[in-house]
């Protein structure tokens, strides 16, 4: 088994509308993405047969956890407030792994905590994309 060194925050390049995001917060993971809908559904009939319903584009949801008060947080907040269309890219340096999301919108600024004695929450932004292309494969 090979030791994978490529999947670190230092080797991850995320851009939103061309801006490289670097002010990651304390949450682990700082970035995640997941499908909005299933790619396909299997409908099974009582008689033993089934039908596959294929979705050409299941969409994708990306969540970014940023450092409060950072320039990157202010940038995403501005996109959220304006309702701008968003494009996101994610590239793993040293790996054949990445993604491009287009036709996106910021759907949420998640809840926050402030005025804590030991910790405050990250600024969390959720972006949903109509179109998502990804590549997976591991280290090169």
């Amino acid at each position: 088994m090979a030791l994978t060194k490529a999947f670190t925050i230092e080797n991850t390049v995320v851009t939103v509308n061309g801006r490289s995001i670097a002010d990651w917060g304390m949450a682990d993971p700082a970035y995640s993405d997941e499908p909005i809908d299933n790619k396909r559904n299997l409908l099974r009939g009582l008689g033993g047969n089934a039908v596959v319903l294929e979705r050409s584009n299941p969409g994708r949801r990306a969540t970014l956890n940023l450092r409060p008060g950072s320039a990157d947080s202010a940038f995403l907040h501005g996109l959220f407030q304006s309702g701008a269309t968003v494009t996101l890219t994610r590239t793993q340096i040293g790996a054949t792994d990445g993604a491009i999301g287009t036709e996106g919108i910021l759907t949420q600024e998640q809840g926050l905590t402030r005025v804590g004695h030991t910790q405050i929450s990250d600024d969390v932004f959720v972006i949903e994309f109509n179109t998502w292309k990804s590549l997976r494969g591991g280290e090169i």
Side-chain angles (χ1 to χ4, degrees), residues 2 8 25-26 40-41 51 54 71 79-80 85 99 103-104 107 113 121-123 130:
T8 64
M26 296 178 293
R40 60 192 60 85
N41 289 309
V51 174
E54 185 86 18
L79 293 176
F80 177 74
T85 301
E103 301 176 29
T107 59
T113 58
S121 67
D122 291 341
D123 289 346
N130 184 46

Side-chain angles (χ1 to χ4, degrees), residues 23-30 65-68 118-123:
D23 291 326
W24 300 109
M26 296 178 293
D28 187 11
N65 297 278
L66 302 180
R67 187 172 46 84
T118 59
Q119 185 174 336
I120 60 174
S121 67
D122 291 341
D123 289 346

Side-chain angles (χ1 to χ4, degrees), residues 22-86:
D23 291 326
W24 300 109
M26 296 178 293
D28 187 11
Y31 168 91
S32 64
D33 63 65
E34 62 188 354
I36 295 172
D37 299 307
N38 291 335
K39 173 69 175 163
R40 60 192 60 85
N41 289 309
L42 181 67
L43 297 179
R44 298 176 53 225
L46 294 175
N49 294 324
V51 174
V52 176
L53 300 176
E54 185 86 18
R55 185 182 295 273
S56 62
N57 189 6
R60 201 82 175 167
R61 178 181 298 114
T63 303
L64 286 73
N65 297 278
L66 302 180
R67 187 172 46 84
S70 68
D72 287 343
S73 179
F75 174 73
L76 287 182
H77 177 71
L79 293 176
F80 177 74
Q81 293 294 89
S82 70
T85 301
V86 175

Side-chain angles (χ1 to χ4, degrees), residues 96-119:
T96 53
D97 188 276
I100 300 172
T102 57
E103 301 176 29
I105 59 169
L106 278 108
T107 59
Q108 287 185 47
E109 287 182 316
Q110 291 189 349
L112 56 85
T113 58
R114 298 292 190 262
V115 195
H117 286 102
T118 59
Q119 185 174 336

